[in-house]
Amino acid sequence: MRPNYHYAPASNWLSDPNGLVHHKGEWHLFYQYNPHGEDWGHMSWGHAISPDLCEWQEQPPALLEDDRFMIFSGSAVCDAQGTAGFGKDALVAVYTGAQLGPDPLQAQCLAWSNDAGRSWEKYAGNPVLDLGMADFRDPNVFWHEPTRRWIMVVVLSNEQRALIYASHDLKQWDEMSVIHTAGAPGEVWECPLLIELPVEGTDETRWLFKVDVLRGAPGSGALYQTGSFDGIRFIPDGPSLEPHWQVADMGSDFYAAIAWHEPRDASGRPVWIGWMGNHAYQGQLPKQGWRGAMSLPRRISLRRDAGRYVLRQEAEPAAVRGVAALPCTDGPVPASARIDLPASGDFALTLADRDQRLLQVERQGTALVMQRRDPVSPCLDNEQVFTAPPGAALTLWLDHGSAELFAADGLVCATMQHRMASNELTLSLRVKAEA
């Protein structure tokens, strides 16, 4: 049941994407990885490289745990001017070193590569940012050209706050400001992202702050605000642009998404990618030699809609080239395909296999219901209810083990993994038109 057009490792556990950087024509995807098995543990950075966001070549693990730290989530940047002292054009990883046990500690560390990411050396002066805390993690780092310095946004997970730091050399960091909870639902913040995005149809840009909430948030737990950023503080839009917090993906399996800050397409849109998984049940899934896959890479932008800025997501065209488009009619379907759902009217679409696993998408007026049932792995049973305009065309990107639903305008996305049998003869498609 390996995916056809989504990235998954050859073996072992995969989760959060890390260190997304484009360098010398290559897209680098690092990710949380257990080199020793399919369960969470021994966290290190796996590594894959692509020339086009479609074909991925898995590399040996980039950063391995050591006697002191596991390698938790973080960023990678191209230090073109050699500000950190590791050489011009060095790749620099900024990650959380996590010390478990009776004296838990999370602190921010560096590693660098001078051979296009093929080998890495950890900085002898690690950690470079240490507050003496057990829950201080997931640095997202980027170059801020207006202030000519590096910016880091990192979360105090259990306090549900984010801190913004600045640095001229990636080693010495000064705290600039705080991003507060501001009524965000759920608890335990992880994997922040702060990035400038174009507003479609205008010359305007706004900044997006995204954070993943481990428990208690709607959808996949990926929440975002829009606002402004001056190199010191992020100021959320509002109060006229309520609600402050919006949901990036209404399924149950789009988590820890971060972006390649550069390069961007002709419309100024960067690419982001998320883990198609959920810590609530991922470790309960049957073993199959590997566990975990990435979402489709998605181009992201903002659109002004009903008095607020809304995230727009579109599957990266290169990543889905060659995926077969199927008519939305009853009958067998392959496990990997594009299915265009009815653009008008109520409907119920059901995908099922011989073991009565099913995935259903149903539209009733403005309500969309995405439901997953799995009698073999009941931990996957899930139902998500959200809204979309009644006339919105919908596309379901179906692959071995996953389904990603996109509205045509890109303002609604929902991602769910599944365990339906991958043999195309065991899948069926049912569509029912409603009055």
Side-chain angles (χ1 to χ4, degrees), residues 14 93 125 143 206 336 380 388 401-403:
L14 167 149
W143 178 256
R206 301 300 290 167
S336 176
L380 286 174
S402 68

Side-chain angles (χ1 to χ4, degrees), residues 48-65:
I49 294 172
S50 174
D52 57 6
L53 294 171
C54 178
E55 301 293 334
W56 291 96
Q57 182 179 6
E58 186 170 354
Q59 304 293 308
L63 297 173
L64 294 171
E65 69 169 344

Side-chain angles (χ1 to χ4, degrees), residues 55-355:
E55 301 293 334
W56 291 96
Q57 182 179 6
E58 186 170 354
Q59 304 293 308
L63 297 173
L64 294 171
E65 69 169 344
D66 54 36
D67 292 340
R68 184 178 183 191
F69 288 136
M70 285 201 291
I71 314 296
F72 275 16
S73 291
S75 303
V77 298
C78 176
D79 187 7
Q81 300 303 315
T83 63
F86 303 134
K88 290 186 176 182
D89 212 31
L91 292 181
V92 181
V94 189
Y95 63 91
T96 297
Q99 177 178 292
L100 304 183
D103 298 308
L105 175 70
Q106 293 180 358
Q108 314 323 314
C109 301
L110 302 182
W112 80 93
S113 170
N114 285 317
D115 60 359
R118 270 55 178 186
S119 64
W120 292 81
E121 184 170 346
K122 295 172 185 173
Y123 176 49
N126 284 334
V128 296
L129 181 57
D130 182 2
L131 301 185
M133 299 181 65
D135 294 282
F136 174 51
R137 60 181 177 267
D138 306 342
N140 182 248
V141 176
F142 60 94
W143 178 256
H144 187 248
E145 183 61 27
T147 57
R148 300 289 298 169
R149 59 188 181 182
W150 300 101
I151 299 296
M152 176 198 295
V153 57
V154 59
V155 291
L156 304 175
S157 296
N158 286 346
E159 297 180 17
Q160 292 161 202
R161 293 188 294 140
L163 302 180
I164 295 176
Y165 288 86
S167 174
H168 291 286
D169 63 1
L170 294 169
K171 295 175 180 176
Q172 300 294 324
W173 292 93
D174 298 313
E175 184 179 335
M176 297 288 104
S177 60
V178 179
I179 301 176
H180 294 282
T181 303
E187 58 185 11
V188 185
W189 280 17
E190 297 186 311
C191 303
L193 171 68
L194 183 61
I195 190 169
E196 189 173 17
L197 296 180
V199 179
E200 293 195 347
T202 76
D203 294 329
E204 183 185 10
T205 64
R206 301 300 290 167
W207 285 79
L208 176 129
F209 170 69
K210 185 275 316 179
V211 68
D212 292 276
V213 183
L214 187 62
R215 297 188 295 269
S220 299
L223 304 179
Y224 70 90
Q225 297 179 326
T226 62
S228 61
F229 177 64
D230 60 3
I232 296 175
R233 59 184 56 83
F234 172 78
I235 301 175
D237 291 322
S240 61
L241 297 175
E242 293 287 357
H244 276 324
W245 292 104
Q246 301 182 69
V247 182
D249 191 290
M250 292 305 305
S252 60
D253 294 297
F254 182 76
Y255 195 78
I258 57 172
W260 287 272
H261 283 256
E262 302 292 343
R264 302 183 176 218
D265 67 7
S267 299
R269 300 180 301 170
V271 182
W272 78 348
I273 196 169
W275 169 44
M276 290 196 301
N278 190 310
H279 282 296
Y281 46 74
Q282 201 73 14
Q284 303 175 45
L285 300 180
K287 292 186 176 182
Q288 56 184 359
W290 59 278
R291 181 177 286 170
M294 292 298 173
S295 74
L296 284 173
R298 304 174 182 184
R299 292 285 173 178
I300 55 175
S301 56
L302 295 172
R303 178 176 291 181
R304 183 76 179 220
D305 181 67
R308 58 180 178 163
Y309 296 100
V310 181
L311 179 65
R312 184 178 184 274
Q313 303 178 69
E314 178 184 313
E316 162 59 37
V320 293
R321 67 171 182 254
V323 179
L326 298 181
C328 195
T329 56
D330 289 0
V333 296
S336 176
R338 168 182 173 161
I339 303 173
D340 292 319
L341 307 184
S344 61
D346 294 349
F347 66 84
L349 174 145
T350 302
L351 294 160
D353 71 5
R354 296 175 187 154
D355 293 324

Side-chain angles (χ1 to χ4, degrees), residues 373-406:
R373 294 289 180 263
D374 192 327
V376 182
S377 300
C379 63
L380 286 174
D381 288 356
N382 185 272
E383 180 178 283
Q384 301 285 348
V385 182
F386 46 102
T387 60
L394 301 167
T395 296
L396 188 68
W397 294 100
L398 181 68
D399 202 356
H400 301 259
S402 68
E404 293 176 83
L405 182 70
F406 289 77

